Amino acid sequence: MKRSVFFQPSDGWVGDLIPFEKDGEFRLFYLHEDRSDPKPGTSWNLVTTKDLTQFEDHGVSLHHGSETDLDFNAYTGSIITDGSGVHHLFYTGQNPRNPGPDGVPLQLVMHATSSDGMETWQKHPELTFGAPDGYESGDWRDPFVFWDDSKSQWRMLLAARHSTGPERRRGVIAQCVSTDLMTWQHTEPFWDPRRYITHECPDVFSWGDWWYMVYSEFSESFTTRYRMSKSPDGPWTVPALDSIDGRAFYASKTAERDGRRFFFGWIASKEGNADQGPWQWAGTMSVLEALQNPDGTLGFLFADELVESFWDDVPVSLAGSLPALLHVPDGYTAMVSDEEMPQQFYAKAVIDIAANTTECGLLLRSSDDGDRSYVLRLEPKRGRLVFDRWPRTITGDAQWHVSGDVPFDIELERPCDLTPGEHTLEVIVDGDICVAVVDRQVALSTRIYDLTAGRIGVFAGEGTATVTELEIRQRTDN
């Protein structure tokens, strides 16, 4: 049996991740989602990995509280190490039975410590604190703590909301400071753009001359975004492409190892395990590596370790036709493999796109004629990668009863530079998960439920594209 590319526990789903690197190993704490009814409390579980390709599940690490405790749900936070080697875990405590003055359950910052290398945690309920005046008491979560050497203090960032102002623009990253990690003083906001409902799972790190602020929002898109600055105090600037991935990859937080920065998030599942199902909270863990470009902006790609774990070549008939010229000035053409692809594989296509080409890309789990498939479509005229599928929704019995006016899955659009010339499209498919990367810069993750098997193909529409390379690899059976 081939090991899974993307971690998911056997008894639930992966929610928000809290990554921590120690001695070369990533300790990936996460909110364990159990969709049983009645809904149980939420704990932090732990999975570890040294190579980003094999994961060990350790089960519960931080237990949630009882039905009467403030932390019946132990939600997102962060872990840091003090000067004496003690690990401090800050997390969000919430209990639906503990409403605030507005009737919304209180969210509270809570604290636990470990002196045995994070094997066990001792909670410190006496150190619990909530939102000060001026902030909504039901939005005071996801504490992220980091040391600011220039100010000789610890800084805690929180996903919060002002208690007044336009309802959908009250989001603020609030801030508290401390010198001992035990007592915290509220101070001016870390970031106050008055733009989003809230900024979940804040994360801040420095890399070279730049500081980066990461957060997730659900006001305009369910997505993780980042900002850049030369100082942890801002001003924060917006990069040309400020999102990490699309709709399916959420709540990603970061960890560094050997000068490399990784973003750990979850790919959402869909209700009913169907392409048309609504997105759900939590899903399957996924990791993207960040690449720092010369101008300080970030690109996102598969880690080399992950790509290299696919080393068995998969023979494909299309490879014998390369280079393949797809020249259709005012039409459409596709080439589809003779072979069906395995359930788990890595594919890499290099496509030379001529000027004024409308579209080209890859067909996944395709029928032999290329008409029924998932589609990773590069659209140079619009400067984007989109995820599409055919058939789309069938709305009736007539020929025209199809969602032909839906151009693609609109939440799965990724802007990218597709100027004429060669571009590389990589994709990993594993069961119902598909992740694509363009030019080691732009990532797009999604679920693929309805089409469970099929071939791989290349296509072009209204223009010219030459496929110069196509390789497909799989993992060896363990």
Side-chain angles (χ1 to χ4, degrees):
M1 178 180 179
K2 293 180 176 66
R3 66 180 185 273
S4 177
V5 178
F6 306 95
F7 171 78
Q8 182 177 322
S10 59
D11 60 346
W13 288 262
V14 175
D16 301 351
L17 282 125
I18 303 93
F20 188 89
E21 189 275 337
K22 182 180 180 183
D23 300 329
E25 180 179 67
F26 289 112
R27 300 192 175 197
L28 307 173
F29 299 87
Y30 67 92
L31 305 189
H32 185 266
E33 170 70 351
D34 182 337
R35 293 176 182 158
S36 58
D37 187 21
K39 192 172 178 62
T42 301
S43 294
W44 284 28
N45 281 30
L46 173 64
V47 59
T48 58
T49 181
K50 293 181 179 179
D51 61 5
L52 301 172
T53 71
Q54 299 181 83
F55 300 91
E56 183 178 356
D57 187 356
H58 299 268
V60 177
S61 178
L62 178 74
H63 291 264
H64 69 80
S66 71
E67 291 188 358
T68 58
D69 288 333
L70 298 176
D71 63 347
F72 174 72
N73 290 309
Y75 287 149
T76 311
S78 60
I79 298 174
I80 56 89
T81 310
D82 68 18
S84 64
V86 174
H87 293 93
H88 295 255
L89 186 157
F90 296 91
Y91 66 105
T92 307
Q94 190 254 30
N95 190 326
R97 304 163 190 82
N98 183 37
D102 58 359
V104 177
L106 288 172
Q107 290 186 347
L108 305 164
V109 173
M110 305 189 77
H111 191 168
T113 56
S114 175
S115 300
D116 59 5
M118 298 184 285
E119 295 297 323
T120 60
W121 295 100
Q122 178 185 354
K123 295 181 179 180
H124 302 281
E126 72 280 5
L127 300 178
T128 299
F129 65 95
D133 291 341
Y135 291 89
E136 294 185 359
S137 62
D139 283 280
W140 188 251
R141 63 180 177 275
D142 307 342
F144 177 82
V145 176
F146 72 102
W147 173 255
D148 187 338
D149 198 51
S150 67
K151 293 181 170 62
S152 296
Q153 64 182 4
W154 297 98
R155 302 173 69 170
M156 177 186 289
L157 312 185
L158 293 131
R161 278 171 53 82
H162 294 291
S163 56
T164 59
E167 181 66 25
R168 67 186 177 96
R169 300 193 185 278
R170 294 185 193 173
V172 56
I173 296 183
Q175 182 174 208
C176 298
V177 295
S178 175
T179 57
D180 62 4
L181 293 172
M182 299 296 174
T183 57
W184 292 89
Q185 178 182 354
H186 174 252
T187 185
E188 71 282 348
F190 184 81
W191 190 51
D192 194 8
R194 301 284 178 157
R195 177 161 169 73
Y196 297 111
I197 294 172
T198 189
H199 316 97
E200 296 196 295
C201 302
D203 187 346
V204 170
F205 61 90
S206 62
W207 192 354
D209 296 331
W210 289 96
W211 282 83
Y212 299 89
M213 172 179 58
V214 180
Y215 63 95
S216 294
E217 60 94 359
F218 48 80
S219 310
E220 297 177 356
S221 306
F222 268 82
T223 196
T224 303
R225 301 185 185 274
Y226 79 97
R227 297 291 184 263
M228 305 164 52
S229 178
K230 291 289 187 171
S231 162
D233 296 313
W236 298 96
T237 59
V238 185
L241 177 55
D242 71 334
S243 52
I244 313 306
D245 198 314
R247 166 63 178 89
F249 183 78
Y250 194 70
S252 102
K253 292 167 71 72
T254 78
E256 181 267 342
R257 185 175 70 182
D258 299 330
R260 301 164 65 191
R261 179 67 55 169
F262 299 91
F263 281 64
F264 297 89
W266 45 267
I267 297 175
S269 56
K270 283 192 167 186
E271 189 174 307
N273 294 336
D275 288 343
Q276 287 296 108
W279 295 104
Q280 296 174 303
W281 188 87
T284 307
M285 188 183 75
S286 181
V287 57
L288 294 169
E289 182 170 0
L291 173 71
Q292 189 179 48
N293 297 315
D295 62 357
T297 59
L298 300 179
F300 296 93
L301 63 151
F302 296 124
D304 287 343
E305 296 92 328
L306 183 57
V307 173
E308 291 166 1
S309 72
F310 294 83
W311 59 277
D312 259 5
D313 288 334
V314 177
V316 59
S317 57
L318 290 178
S321 305
L322 301 183
L325 175 65
L326 305 174
H327 179 61
V328 279
D330 63 350
Y332 174 92
T333 189
M335 298 174 61
V336 180
S337 69
D338 296 332
E339 308 85 359
E340 288 201 353
M341 293 297 99
Q343 285 293 294
Q344 181 191 85
F345 66 89
Y346 163 84
K348 175 183 176 182
V350 179
I351 306 174
D352 192 345
I353 306 175
N356 300 315
T357 297
T358 297
E359 62 179 26
C360 59
L362 286 176
L363 306 176
L364 303 174
R365 294 187 176 164
S366 175
S367 57
D368 58 3
D369 61 0
D371 197 46
R372 181 184 179 92
S373 72
Y374 294 112
V375 185
L376 289 170
R377 188 168 64 239
L378 301 171
E379 300 182 350
K381 294 178 180 178
R382 295 181 171 91
R384 68 187 182 186
L385 163 71
V386 302
F387 178 81
D388 201 355
R389 66 180 182 273
W390 193 266
R392 294 177 184 152
T393 302
I394 306 300
T395 58
D397 296 329
Q399 183 184 45
W400 51 272
H401 283 157
V402 297
S403 297
D405 56 347
V406 178
F408 55 92
D409 284 356
I410 56 173
E411 71 271 26
L412 298 175
E413 171 186 4
R414 301 291 293 144
C416 52
D417 179 5
L418 295 173
T419 52
E422 281 196 343
H423 296 275
T424 300
L425 177 56
E426 297 173 275
V427 59
I428 290 177
V429 170
D430 188 8
D432 59 22
I433 292 178
C434 172
V435 182
V437 171
V438 178
D439 292 334
R440 293 171 64 87
Q441 287 286 316
V442 177
L444 175 62
S445 304
T446 189
R447 293 279 179 171
I448 48 174
Y449 291 109
D450 294 356
L451 304 180
T452 58
R455 309 165 190 235
I456 192 166
V458 294
F459 71 93
E462 298 175 356
T464 302
T466 303
V467 182
T468 60
E469 295 180 35
L470 178 63
E471 62 175 298
I472 301 168
R473 301 198 302 266
Q474 64 181 341
R475 290 176 166 179
T476 303
D477 290 340
N478 291 333

